[in-house]
Amino acid sequence: MQTFDLRDIIARSWRLWREAPLVHAGAALVLLVGTAASAGLATGPLLVGHIRLIDKQMAGHPVRLADLAAAGDKLLASLATWILLAGGTALASMVVVLPGVALALFWSYALWFVALDRVGPLRALAASWRLCTHHLGPTLLVLVGVIAANMVGTVLIVGLLASLPLALIVLTHSFRALSAPASPAEPA
């Protein structure tokens, strides 16, 4: 694993967002409208498209709003993963809130595994569980930060068009840092 430096991740995320703010705000708008229009079903595929757009930009390539369609090859996997993630979290929360929160935490990177590692739903959920249990502290830190930023962004609707994509960029950078293999000099 690379060294997890949240300050560096936030700085790199801010730079990435500033390179294409209109693309990211537009992608957030598409995500919000698509989620509302589909009663939540389009959320997984739209998130996977946005994650791939961010990853493309992280690799130094220019991005445009049409890049959201990049989830096409994993449309069913992203849809199934989203249904399992959202449904499992909702069901677990109905029993007692804490199990739902735990599932949401441990499955938080499942769509990143679908988007970037191109795995199916069950492998994505299992991989996210492993990643988050091995890196619980950094995962909690990032998730609390992006939830707080999006809560502030929600107060101002326009703010959500900035906070939502910035949160996805931070999560993508943190996913890459946490899931990177250990270098030979680092203990496994």
Side-chain angles (χ1 to χ4, degrees), residues 3-168:
T3 303
F4 189 82
D5 181 351
L6 187 56
R7 244 182 278 161
D8 180 58
I9 287 172
I10 291 170
R12 287 186 292 136
S13 298
W14 179 245
R15 278 193 304 273
L16 209 65
W17 186 87
R18 280 193 349 235
E19 288 175 9
L22 294 178
V23 171
H24 290 294
L29 186 61
V30 168
L31 174 62
L32 294 169
V33 170
T35 295
S38 69
L41 284 176
T43 306
L46 289 171
L47 281 170
V48 166
H50 200 154
I51 292 163
R52 287 185 175 174
L53 178 149
I54 292 165
D55 196 57
K56 179 180 177 181
Q57 188 183 10
M58 286 170 59
H61 303 288
V63 292
R64 49 196 175 83
L65 205 49
D67 291 329
L68 284 176
D73 68 318
K74 281 295 184 180
L75 181 66
L76 292 178
S78 60
L79 179 62
T81 303
W82 176 251
I83 289 170
L84 289 170
L85 193 158
T89 300
L91 285 174
S93 294
M94 285 181 190
V95 177
V96 180
V97 174
L98 195 54
V101 171
L103 275 182
L105 167 70
F106 292 114
W107 287 351
S108 59
Y109 286 113
L111 288 170
W112 275 261
F113 281 101
V114 172
L116 304 178
D117 289 355
R118 290 172 159 64
V119 299
L122 297 179
R123 286 187 62 205
L125 293 169
S128 180
W129 187 278
R130 280 190 306 277
L131 181 70
C132 293
T133 55
H134 286 95
H135 305 289
L136 187 57
T139 300
L140 277 171
L141 190 62
V142 168
L143 290 177
V144 167
V146 298
I147 290 168
N150 281 320
M151 287 174 70
V152 171
T154 302
V155 173
L156 307 164
I157 299 299
V158 176
L160 195 57
L161 297 179
S163 68
L164 181 60
L166 188 56
L168 290 173

